[in-house]
Amino acid sequence: MAAVPAALVAVSTPTTPPSRATAIPSAAVGAPTSTLVAATPAPVTPAPIVVPAVTLPPVTLPPVTLPPVTLPPTVRPATLPPVTVPPAAPLVAGFNPLSYIGQGDAYNCPNFASQAQAQAVLRADPHDPNRLDTDKDGIACESNPSPKDLNPVPR
């Protein structure tokens, strides 16, 4: 008889379940009752790997020293000198300087009953389209009668 490899086993009656063995026809002559089957090894379940716990010593870092930080000086807003607001012009009863604005050179000093009325119109429009302040000192129609408003208009 020929030599049988170690992975093949001769079985005279099939006792191995089909799911575990595969039948291979016999190559031996004159042995009709024997069949060679390839043996399937049983599944191997690996043993669990146990890793021992490791305790590490505490780590202490050296203190970190940072260089001192120099900040730029604080920028402060510019301090403006106090603004002096001239006292309000005396009110002339029944006079509205806004009705004289936006009409170009339509009014001259003789059109106003007082210097205070002309000054109120100059204060309402310092560009002086009526040419009420010919010497540009901020006081309109200086020769007009009282009441007077002699607080100059900035020009």
Side-chain angles (χ1 to χ4, degrees), residues 9 29 34 36 39 47 59 66 77 83 88 94 126:
V9 178
V29 179
S34 65
L36 292 177
V59 176
L66 298 175
V83 176

Side-chain angles (χ1 to χ4, degrees), residues 57-152:
V59 176
T60 304
L61 298 175
V64 176
T65 304
L66 298 175
V69 176
T70 303
L71 297 175
T74 303
V75 178
R76 297 175 193 239
T79 304
L80 299 175
V83 176
T84 305
V85 178
L91 295 177
V92 180
F95 181 76
N96 182 4
L98 298 179
S99 62
Y100 294 86
I101 303 300
Q103 300 178 34
D105 187 9
Y107 302 99
N108 296 312
C109 290
N111 297 113
F112 300 101
S114 69
Q115 186 275 330
Q117 287 181 350
Q119 188 74 9
V121 173
L122 178 63
R123 203 174 299 287
D125 186 358
H127 293 100
D128 194 19
N130 292 304
R131 293 182 290 192
L132 302 176
D133 180 19
T134 55
D135 60 359
K136 300 189 188 295
D137 65 352
I139 299 176
C141 303
E142 296 168 31
S143 61
N144 277 25
S146 294
K148 300 236 182 218
D149 174 6
L150 300 179
N151 290 319

